[in-house]
Amino acid sequence: EIHERLVGSEMCIETGIVTKDLLQTALFLGTFYLIRSAFGGYHAETSLVCMLVSYGGWGAVMILSRYMEAYAEVPLVLWIVLAADLCVFAILGPVAHANKPLTAVQKKRNKRNGFLVLGIGSLLVFLWRSCVIVGTVYIGTVTFVAVLAMIGKRKVGQGMKKIEKLVAKIGYNTAKKTVNSASAWHSHQVKEPAAARASLLKEASK
């Protein structure tokens, strides 16, 4: 696995030299490996598919960096995308692989380390936001890893369960706080079931 990574990185760097994107490629690889190692994500079934996905992500980031060269600073839309990426990592990450499951302690450690790297990287990019190419490559790479996390085979269902639990928790807390209260003038007030009403009143009084 390590040998494959080294070969893949070498090929990517050589491609960057040919396309005159060496600096961007080095930043892409460094950012990718640091964040990917913490949050994981989709793993292809074959080496060919893995190579195609990897080079596809690299190519998209390189094209984006060239398109953004005309800007004086990293545009707002990229900061919005970065914020969305952080939400993805907070909900889905880290994504374990079927052949390499993570314990609860490892997941907590990986998420902590991943957000530490993201925090430092995002702060540096914000401070030097006039370096548009660097900021674009960083945010583009983070987005690529976030996409891999979203399509990770083992985590998609688990991620949806987390979202459902979060929505259910918000709904329950809202019901607990508003039980026995009149609704807003523009809202429809449904009749609360007696059992649910009694339970909510009991919880609210604690």
Side-chain angles (χ1 to χ4, degrees), residues 37-73:
S37 61
F39 291 107
Y42 169 75
H43 289 268
E45 295 290 341
T46 65
S47 298
L48 176 61
V49 175
C50 179
M51 183 182 68
L52 292 175
V53 171
S54 300
Y55 275 93
W58 170 82
V61 173
M62 295 304 106
I63 292 172
L64 181 64
S65 68
R66 292 187 178 184
Y67 175 77
M68 292 294 175
E69 285 179 346
Y71 288 84
E73 290 187 352

Side-chain angles (χ1 to χ4, degrees), residues 107-120:
K107 289 181 180 180
K108 186 177 180 179
R109 180 202 62 200
N110 285 10
K111 178 172 281 191
R112 181 183 66 245
N113 293 343
F115 273 103
L116 178 62
V117 172
L118 285 170
I120 294 173

